[in-house]
Amino acid sequence: MPSPNYAAGRMFPISMIIIHSTRGGQVEGVEMQATINWFLNPDSEASSHIVIGKDGRTIRFVNDEDQCWAAGELNAFSLQVELEQPDNETEFTRVQIDNLVTVVQEWMAKYSIPITSVLGHDQTSQGIAQGKTDVGKMFDWIWFRERISDD
């Protein structure tokens, strides 16, 4: 589903992966559709390269070669993925994380991105400055980093 919200091309090499969560406050299923609608709406001026639903459905919105609009100045050199998560208390599903592992490993291999450059939005300079809380406390970073380094 190509989003109209992106900048064509890149001025810098891809060197970072940023993981977000949707946090739209909708019930499961509706949250995913609301995110799709938001990223397809030109007035939102928001997008991500990929969104992964709680059911594992994975949708691409922006090509790797282009910049999505999700993390300000970091868009210029990062790839970004959104995980469906209606609120910060909702757990991520196994299939959702399995698909995230696949996407992140493919990007790490393709663009030679080190594991230390795979961050949550809340761990980036832009996210910290804006008080972002995604991906947040329900995301198991230790287990995830073991998965992306071992699989």
Side-chain angles (χ1 to χ4, degrees):
M1 294 185 184
S3 174
N5 306 321
Y6 72 96
R10 290 187 178 269
M11 295 173 51
F12 304 101
I14 295 167
S15 61
M16 177 184 282
I17 298 169
I18 302 173
I19 304 169
H20 302 261
S21 52
T22 58
R23 304 274 177 86
Q26 303 295 320
V27 296
E28 192 171 318
V30 174
E31 178 76 15
M32 184 69 168
Q33 189 59 53
T35 300
I36 292 167
N37 294 346
W38 187 245
F39 287 168
L40 294 178
N41 179 351
D43 293 334
S44 74
E45 297 185 353
S47 63
S48 187
H49 289 94
I50 290 175
V51 175
I52 302 173
K54 292 186 74 55
D55 61 0
R57 183 169 49 147
T58 302
I59 301 172
R60 175 172 288 281
F61 288 90
V62 177
N63 291 323
D64 291 358
E65 298 77 24
D66 299 320
Q67 299 173 56
C68 72
W69 295 347
E73 68 277 1
L74 302 178
N75 296 338
F77 55 88
S78 64
L79 292 166
Q80 301 185 50
V81 59
E82 289 269 352
L83 299 174
E84 177 187 7
Q85 185 193 35
D87 58 63
N88 64 355
E89 299 294 326
T90 301
E91 292 185 11
F92 298 102
T93 64
R94 178 65 186 251
V95 68
Q96 193 175 27
I97 299 303
D98 287 346
N99 287 0
L100 176 65
V101 166
T102 299
V103 168
V104 169
Q105 285 179 322
E106 288 173 5
W107 281 344
M108 288 172 67
K110 184 174 182 179
Y111 301 104
S112 300
I113 299 171
I115 197 167
T116 55
S117 293
V118 178
L119 302 171
H121 194 191
D122 55 347
Q123 298 170 322
T124 67
S125 56
Q126 185 263 359
I128 292 167
Q130 292 185 355
K132 299 294 183 179
T133 60
D134 60 312
V135 291
K137 65 183 181 179
M138 301 307 285
F139 193 85
D140 186 343
W141 279 104
I142 295 170
W143 182 76
F144 177 72
R145 285 199 169 104
E146 288 172 358
R147 294 275 318 272
I148 61 175
S149 65
D150 292 339
D151 280 0

